[in-house]
Amino acid sequence: MPIIRKSLLQFIFSGAYMQRWNDKLRPVALLEVDKQAHKMMVAWLLLMLNSRGMTSEQRRELGESVVEGGIFDYFYRLVITDIKPPIYYRIKENPAHYALLTSWVLDQLRPTMQPLGQDYWDKLTTRLKNPGTHGLADEILDAAHTYASGWEFDLIKDLGPWDDEKESIDQSFTDGLKRYDHLVGVKELRQGPSTALGRFAHLCGQLRFQTRWSQTPRIPETSVLGHLFIVAAYSYFFSLAVDACPLRRQNNFFTGLFHDLPEVLTRDIISPVKKSAQPIADLIRQYEDSELETRVFGPLTAGGYGDVAERLSYFLGVEVGSEFKSAIIRGGRPQAVDFETLQQRCNEDRYDPKDGRMLKACDSLAAFVEAYTALRNGISSDQLQQAVWRIRKRYNAFSFGDLHVGALLADFD
């Protein structure tokens, strides 16, 4: 069974330190974990649209390849850190040089990745050593990467008019995305908010502007967008640890990736406000559902993307009442189930299962790592101390099968 350790959780979180465009004038912090979240959101859109004519098995295999490829690419980029993209692409063009770099990257990854098991390590090694061999999945990831990086560059390209690189960088993103016009949805993404798809992708990107724990100083600061990727990755590896079926692993990743999407419409309403009284919680939920329908589901459906809206609704738990409720599809409709039922009787692709209780644990674990890291970095705060204590207390005896969350938290001294 794959073993989840503190080192993996911290490594995933480390993208919150990794600055992007750090040789350019920037109005806001541009972080690797934020960009990866936006990239994978766009990759999910392209996955949905380019798998419409496939069988359920083909869609599942493509989705698995997209999720794994996205995670592996993130790990690779965390290791190579500050190598500028033009230099990295030059290295990648030379097979011998790329093989040397990849061998070094794998040596750095080995201590963190090997507790996940030999099968996972072999899959990671094979994928990183053989880039561009996964057909449509690689095209989807490359297009999503180009879109997200270009969207990010648009934030800074009008600053620093003396920078003689900016025009060529801007053109490289335009030309790069055009190369994927054969993928369904890419032309619409290039048109921006004038299309339903482009508008939704822009909406997702705006989550990088919302800072978590906005009233509590932290090092590093994290955005809602970056938090989504961290939760998605935690959910995926928790799924591996409980031997979730392939579609359940995918669903858990994408549910984690989108679970705070309503915050782009409502902002980050802190838990004490949400939980202050049931009528308040119900009112917030009603407002979120109304805004989602008006600004997300409605425009997507009207634009011809009803299947995208329906799938997103399933991830967000609209029909079962919460994204933190486990669910399956039965008789064509979402149905809430408990973890034991999900694990013992519905852990099969045909049920289209997704976890809720485990997602909530991953959400809390991501908050724990944020607070714990800030404290270790010297930020003394009652709010952070209380958050660490509260999460430890809540999950001390929590487990999912053989995966014991309390034991995992105990690794954080």
Side-chain angles (χ1 to χ4, degrees), residues 104-206:
W104 178 79
V105 168
L106 288 169
D107 285 342
Q108 308 309 305
L109 290 175
R110 190 185 303 272
T112 302
M113 296 295 117
Q114 284 207 316
L116 294 171
Q118 191 62 42
D119 287 347
Y120 192 83
W121 175 251
D122 289 345
K123 189 180 291 187
L124 169 68
T125 301
T126 301
R127 183 95 177 224
L128 293 186
K129 285 184 175 180
N130 300 279
T133 57
H134 285 74
L136 181 56
D138 285 337
E139 287 191 308
I140 287 172
L141 288 168
D142 288 347
H145 158 76
T146 304
Y147 173 87
S149 296
W151 194 95
E152 191 179 56
F153 183 71
D154 281 345
L155 299 175
I156 63 173
K157 69 180 183 181
D158 293 330
L159 302 174
W162 60 84
D163 191 332
D164 60 359
E165 285 186 316
K166 287 190 174 181
E167 186 175 341
S168 62
I169 293 173
D170 191 29
Q171 191 62 46
S172 73
F173 286 130
T174 300
D175 295 341
L177 198 54
K178 278 183 181 179
R179 288 201 299 269
Y180 297 100
D181 274 356
H182 60 282
L183 294 179
V184 181
V186 167
K187 289 181 180 178
E188 289 78 4
L189 288 173
R190 288 203 296 110
Q191 293 173 39
S194 62
T195 67
L197 205 64
R199 184 176 181 276
F200 177 69
H202 272 261
L203 201 65
C204 291
Q206 291 173 38

Side-chain angles (χ1 to χ4, degrees), residues 28-164:
V28 294
L30 301 176
L31 304 173
E32 184 65 29
V33 72
D34 294 354
K35 181 262 176 163
Q36 292 292 333
H38 199 194
K39 165 188 168 180
M40 293 309 292
M41 288 172 164
V42 173
W44 173 75
L45 287 173
L46 297 177
L47 168 64
M48 286 290 299
L49 298 178
N50 288 274
S51 63
R52 279 174 167 173
M54 294 182 179
T55 66
S56 57
E57 179 67 15
Q58 288 171 330
R59 284 197 301 273
R60 183 196 65 73
E61 290 179 356
L62 179 61
E64 186 80 357
S65 188
V66 167
V67 171
E68 287 179 351
I71 292 173
F72 295 166
D73 182 62
Y74 176 60
F75 289 167
Y76 199 109
R77 289 174 185 276
L78 286 180
V79 174
I80 64 174
T81 60
D82 284 336
I83 296 180
K84 289 188 69 170
I87 298 175
Y88 170 67
Y89 294 134
R90 288 283 298 276
I91 293 173
K92 203 170 182 179
E93 289 171 359
N94 185 308
H97 293 170
Y98 181 76
L100 285 173
L101 179 62
T102 300
S103 178
W104 178 79
V105 168
L106 288 169
D107 285 342
Q108 308 309 305
L109 290 175
R110 190 185 303 272
T112 302
M113 296 295 117
Q114 284 207 316
L116 294 171
Q118 191 62 42
D119 287 347
Y120 192 83
W121 175 251
D122 289 345
K123 189 180 291 187
L124 169 68
T125 301
T126 301
R127 183 95 177 224
L128 293 186
K129 285 184 175 180
N130 300 279
T133 57
H134 285 74
L136 181 56
D138 285 337
E139 287 191 308
I140 287 172
L141 288 168
D142 288 347
H145 158 76
T146 304
Y147 173 87
S149 296
W151 194 95
E152 191 179 56
F153 183 71
D154 281 345
L155 299 175
I156 63 173
K157 69 180 183 181
D158 293 330
L159 302 174
W162 60 84
D163 191 332
D164 60 359

Side-chain angles (χ1 to χ4, degrees), residues 294-340:
T294 301
R295 299 180 60 188
V296 177
F297 301 148
L300 283 172
T301 301
Y305 307 109
D307 54 339
V308 174
E310 182 179 354
R311 194 64 179 167
L312 193 59
S313 174
Y314 181 55
F315 292 153
L316 295 175
V318 172
E319 290 202 40
V320 298
S322 172
E323 69 274 25
F324 297 131
K325 288 185 179 179
S326 299
I328 60 173
I329 299 293
R330 178 173 283 161
R333 303 284 297 188
Q335 176 182 323
V337 295
D338 57 32
F339 175 79
E340 288 70 24

